[in-house]
Structure formats: C-alpha cells, structure tokens
Amino acid sequence: MSSNMNSRSLVCAPCNCAQMALADTIIAYQPDVDKHAGVLAYELVQGNLVQWNSFMDKSIPDPPTAVLLHGILGSRKNWGSFAKRLAQEFPMWQFLLVDLRCHGDSASTKKRGPHTVAATALDVLKLLVQLRLTPRVLVGHSFGGKVALSMVEQAAKPLARPVRVWVLDATPGKVRAGGDGEDHPAELIEFLRRMPTQVSSKQEVVDVLVKEQFSMDVARWVATNLRRSSPLGQQPSSSFSWTFDLNGISEMYKSYEDTNLW
C-alpha cells in the first residue's frame, strides 16, 4: 500500500557523529557509497546523472532521494540489486539503503534500549539529518514499513513537499501470529537466540532450521546473516557468527507486533 503524507522536517540537535559524516567529502563523488555515519551503516546508490555536491554547495538542489528500509533479520543488502535497477531506470535519483539498529553493520554500534519501532525510526531520521537529505519517498518492507510510518509520525514540522510512503508486506496495525504453514518470525528469532553464537558452516544453520520446520527459503535467507568469525588479514576461521544482535531484534519484533500506526 502507499500513501501521500504530510511528513515533517528532520531536525535534531547536532552531534559529533554528524560532523564526522559531513566532513567525509569523498561521499559526494562516488556513485555507490558504503559508509558508517556513527548512527547507522548505510549505502548510497546513485543514478548516473546525479551530481551530489550538496555537502559542498547548498545552492545546488539535492537530487530526489528514496530511503529503502529492510525487514526484521534483514540488512541493507536485501535491497542492493533492486536499488541498482531503480537507479538505472531513474538516473536522476539516489537511493539510501540503511542497516537498521541491531542489524548488519549497524549491530556493531550499540544502541540504548528500548529497541522499538519508534527508536529505530528516530535512528534513520538522525542519519538523514547528518547527511542533509530530505527524502521524497520512504519504502519499507515488513518491519521497515512500520519504521517508515513512524518516521513520518515523529518528524518535527511539515516539509516543503509531501513524502510518499510505501509499506510493503505489512499492515500498519497490530500483527497477528502467522497461520499454519507460515513462518513465525517471533518463533524464528527465539530459536536463533538458543543456537550457539558460532557455528561451523552456513549449511549447518540451514539444516537445523529446516529440521525445525522452517521453510528452506527462510533458512537460506537467515544464513546470509552469518560471516566468518576471524578479522580480515588473519588466518580464516572455520566458524561463523551472526552479524545481528538477536536480543535487540527480539525486542524490536515485539514492538512491531504491538505498534499501531493506522
């Protein structure tokens, strides 16, 4: 579903991480930017007609920006191929892909609880302030859909233009548990929390999840959140560990179930 909403401007108090993000002017010249701004890890995918010099010269209009938000247990990489296709179709646009708190590369930045939909939305608003971006479109999948709606709800005053919000595969209201034959995210999260923090292979995780009656598609998708435990430059480890913070994600999903943004 989509809706045009009178969003509000993205204003928060300045902080050191904002200054760090804005000082890194290399971002203005690269078509694909993969950075960590202190608040959240993000990637900027730009069409080939984008001239993004707004850090240097605010007299140049910002290119239209869409923010893409992943679902629970996902990461910004879920949107990667889709964003590149959009950038080819809309070469004047840029697409901001974000790792939400407790997910992907943002999991290494510890956030204060409670880990809620509203707190997650505020993280993204702060990132937009640091990057000096006013998005025209917010697209959120599942959990990310409610994050997008919460961003609109929390912003401080009306924007000069409306923001179009696309909520994919989610309802704005309270969430009921899946029916028979469906994967239950809460059960999946709790099962993952009981697993060892390190495993010998991705296939081991897939096999265990399928044995527990989770679908093969979900099992393979979850396994994409595993990476080798050893740091780069050292002897490769034979074990894998999770890229996300499962305790924080458990809180986030409970908030997703209970949050009503109709």
Side-chain angles (χ1 to χ4, degrees):
M1 98 177 174
S2 71
S3 59
N4 279 321
M5 299 189 175
N6 288 327
S7 181
R8 298 174 271 232
S9 77
L10 317 176
V11 178
C12 72
C15 59
N16 290 335
C17 43
Q19 293 169 6
M20 275 189 337
L22 298 176
D24 191 355
T25 55
I26 296 174
I27 193 173
Y29 307 109
Q30 296 193 10
D32 295 282
V33 181
D34 192 348
K35 297 286 180 181
H36 200 302
V39 175
L40 295 172
Y42 67 92
E43 181 178 353
L44 192 67
V45 177
Q46 297 175 320
N48 59 17
L49 298 182
V50 171
Q51 293 181 341
W52 200 49
N53 322 3
S54 57
F55 284 147
M56 308 293 289
D57 184 355
K58 289 305 290 181
S59 68
I60 299 174
D62 291 336
T65 301
V67 179
L68 307 181
L69 304 172
H70 63 78
I72 210 77
L73 294 174
S75 75
R76 71 183 190 272
K77 297 184 188 304
N78 300 151
W79 283 107
S81 298
F82 191 70
K84 288 174 182 175
R85 287 178 60 189
L86 284 172
Q88 289 174 350
E89 293 291 326
F90 302 96
M92 295 292 294
W93 281 68
Q94 60 187 10
F95 302 88
L96 182 67
L97 286 58
V98 180
D99 279 341
L100 301 176
R101 64 165 58 203
C102 302
H103 290 75
D105 292 330
S106 293
S108 61
T109 302
K110 297 304 179 185
K111 299 288 187 184
R112 281 193 220 169
H115 299 293
T116 62
V117 169
T120 307
L122 186 59
D123 292 341
V124 183
L125 291 172
K126 288 179 178 178
L127 176 64
L128 289 170
V129 170
Q130 290 180 14
L131 299 179
R132 296 181 180 175
L133 292 177
T134 302
R136 294 191 187 183
V137 177
L138 305 176
V139 184
H141 173 249
S142 191
F143 179 87
K146 275 194 177 176
V147 172
L149 292 176
S150 183
M151 288 170 64
V152 173
E153 183 182 56
Q154 291 187 62
K157 65 182 181 179
L159 288 171
R161 68 176 78 92
V163 172
R164 172 162 287 189
V165 179
W166 290 80
V167 178
L168 309 179
D169 197 22
T171 172
K174 293 188 176 182
V175 177
R176 295 177 296 177
D180 291 340
E182 297 180 7
D183 286 303
H184 294 239
E187 293 179 9
L188 174 61
I189 293 165
E190 290 311 306
F191 183 78
L192 293 175
R193 290 176 73 188
R194 295 194 299 270
M195 289 189 68
T197 56
Q198 295 193 344
V199 295
S200 60
S201 71
K202 294 184 178 184
Q203 189 60 47
E204 176 189 343
V205 171
V206 172
D207 292 343
V208 169
L209 289 174
V210 170
K211 185 178 179 181
E212 290 294 319
Q213 305 302 310
F214 294 102
S215 72
M216 178 63 76
D217 285 344
V218 165
R220 287 174 173 163
W221 169 65
V222 168
T224 64
N225 289 289
L226 289 164
R227 63 182 166 203
R228 290 199 180 274
S229 302
S230 63
L232 290 174
Q234 296 186 12
Q235 187 70 22
S237 170
S238 60
S239 63
F240 291 79
S241 56
W242 296 111
T243 59
F244 41 46
D245 172 2
L246 284 166
N247 291 328
I249 286 174
S250 179
E251 278 188 64
M252 292 167 74
Y253 188 74
K254 182 66 169 64
S255 172
Y256 171 74
E257 288 186 316
D258 294 340
T259 299
N260 188 342
L261 288 167
W262 274 114

